[in-house]
Amino acid sequence: MTVHPVPAQPEPERTPPNRGLGAYVKEARPKQWVKNVLVIAAPGAAGVLGEGTALFRTAIAFVCFCLAASGTYYFNDAFDVEADRRHPTKRFRPIAAGVIPVNTAIAVGTGLIVASIALAFAARWQLAAVVGGYLVLTLLYSAWLKHEAVLDLACVAAGFVLRTIAGGVAVPVAISPWFLIVAGSASLFMVTGKRHAEIVELGSDAIGTRRALEMYSRSFLNYVLAVASSVTILAYCLWAFEKSSGVGNPVWFQLSIVPFVLGILRYALLLEHGGGGAPEDLVLSDRVLLGLGALWAVLFGIAVLGT
């Protein structure tokens, strides 16, 4: 099987930043908002997105996390301005390039964060609590935890888990423990792949851009990838069988295991070939991975609609 080379970094980061309003939009990183689709997972798995109230609250959760994430990007880049200026691609970000002053970035980030918490109350106060927890965790990551090996991986993975929890508490729907384990271990798998790609791409220069990378070796990260992917696959199988036990025809949930496992293996193969620095670009650039994702969505969708 031939695997086409995957670009280590998205091309837009290699170009000088926009000026004016465009710089502020770029700093907000709207391309990263695709990660917030995770808030749909719990309501979607529960089959309640067809209900008006559930859809409205899920949409609020999505917008809240877009605002919160963009706000923390402003803070993160303000904290890391000197390190980013030594990075081959991050130096083109608006704050590192000097287009957005650090003080202005902190002010804009604060405004976005306050807006995210205020909007969350339009759904449920529990959603505001989850958004607040995500913000505390992310700001701790930006200020400290990103420099601590292993803790940086756990912190980023926890951010993805909080996104999945947010969708469940916003509606609200019950969340299976197996579902949370799938979300957590899959997130750890992707975050570790990102660190692996950074070491491969930057080599000895990686330490100057992210201090925690000094503690990592490729063999250790490969070990974490193996552990995380194994837990993800096992937990998903258990979750699929748990879901299938409550329906008349369990075959669709069980069939969804096949494209899910193949997708994990395909992603691992792409990591081995140097991808993973930008997970969203890696996923969107590989047709096989997109095809497996579409097949999984169809099988899982049929299973949910049939319950």
Side-chain angles (χ1 to χ4, degrees):
M1 180 183 65
T2 301
V3 179
H4 298 289
V6 180
Q9 292 287 339
E11 186 62 27
E13 294 287 1
R14 299 184 182 278
T15 59
N18 296 325
R19 301 278 172 172
L21 181 61
Y24 289 89
V25 173
K26 182 176 181 179
E27 183 59 38
R29 308 228 252 289
K31 192 174 183 179
Q32 301 293 328
W33 292 351
V34 67
K35 299 174 183 176
N36 301 321
V37 173
L38 281 171
V39 302
I40 299 174
V48 299
L49 285 178
E51 302 173 9
T53 300
L55 183 61
F56 173 71
R57 290 179 173 177
T58 302
I60 288 179
F62 175 80
V63 175
C64 285
F65 269 87
C66 289
L67 293 172
S70 292
T72 57
Y73 287 141
Y74 272 89
F75 273 93
N76 183 74
D77 289 359
F79 292 153
D80 280 358
V81 61
E82 295 302 326
D84 285 351
R85 285 169 179 166
R86 297 191 296 269
H87 193 280
T89 55
K90 292 180 181 179
R91 62 191 176 93
F92 293 120
R93 289 177 176 175
I95 297 176
V99 177
I100 299 177
V102 171
N103 290 338
T104 303
I106 292 175
V108 173
T110 301
L112 291 171
I113 285 172
V114 171
S116 69
I117 296 177
L119 180 61
F121 281 101
R124 297 179 77 223
W125 70 264
Q126 292 91 337
L127 175 60
V130 175
V131 172
Y134 168 82
L135 288 167
V136 170
L137 180 69
T138 306
L139 292 174
L140 282 174
Y141 171 81
S142 297
W144 168 48
L145 292 174
K146 65 168 25 172
H147 304 303
E148 302 297 332
V150 178
L151 293 182
D152 72 312
L153 301 178
C155 187
V156 177
F160 286 100
V161 175
L162 286 173
R163 286 175 170 92
T164 63
I165 293 174
V169 302
V171 173
V173 293
I175 303 178
S176 165
W178 294 119
F179 173 78
L180 291 178
I181 294 174
V182 171
S185 54
S187 300
L188 179 61
F189 177 66
M190 296 188 73
V191 174
T192 305
K194 183 178 177 68
R195 296 292 179 268
H196 181 275
E198 288 171 345
I199 288 179
V200 170
E201 180 191 8
L202 300 176
S204 60
D205 295 331
I207 299 173
T209 61
R210 193 184 294 275
R211 197 162 70 231
L213 292 177
E214 183 178 3
M215 298 291 295
Y216 293 138
S217 65
R218 292 183 66 175
S219 60
F220 172 77
L221 293 177
N222 284 331
Y223 165 75
V224 178
L225 287 170
V227 171
S229 60
S230 298
V231 173
T232 301
I233 291 171
L234 176 60
Y236 183 83
C237 291
L238 293 171
W239 183 48
F241 279 99
E242 177 187 75
K243 295 284 290 183
S244 66
S245 65
V247 299
N249 185 1
V251 66
W252 297 110
F253 279 120
Q254 296 169 8
L255 282 176
S256 73
I257 294 173
V258 177
F260 183 87
V261 173
L262 292 178
I264 293 290
L265 296 178
R266 177 72 179 187
Y267 193 89
L269 178 61
L270 295 173
L271 292 178
E272 184 66 22
H273 284 259
E280 64 282 356
D281 291 320
L282 182 62
V283 171
L284 295 176
S285 64
D286 187 73
R287 287 177 293 180
V288 174
L289 200 54
L290 287 173
L292 290 170
L295 178 59
W296 173 85
V298 169
L299 293 173
F300 197 85
I302 293 174
V304 170
L305 293 175
T307 56

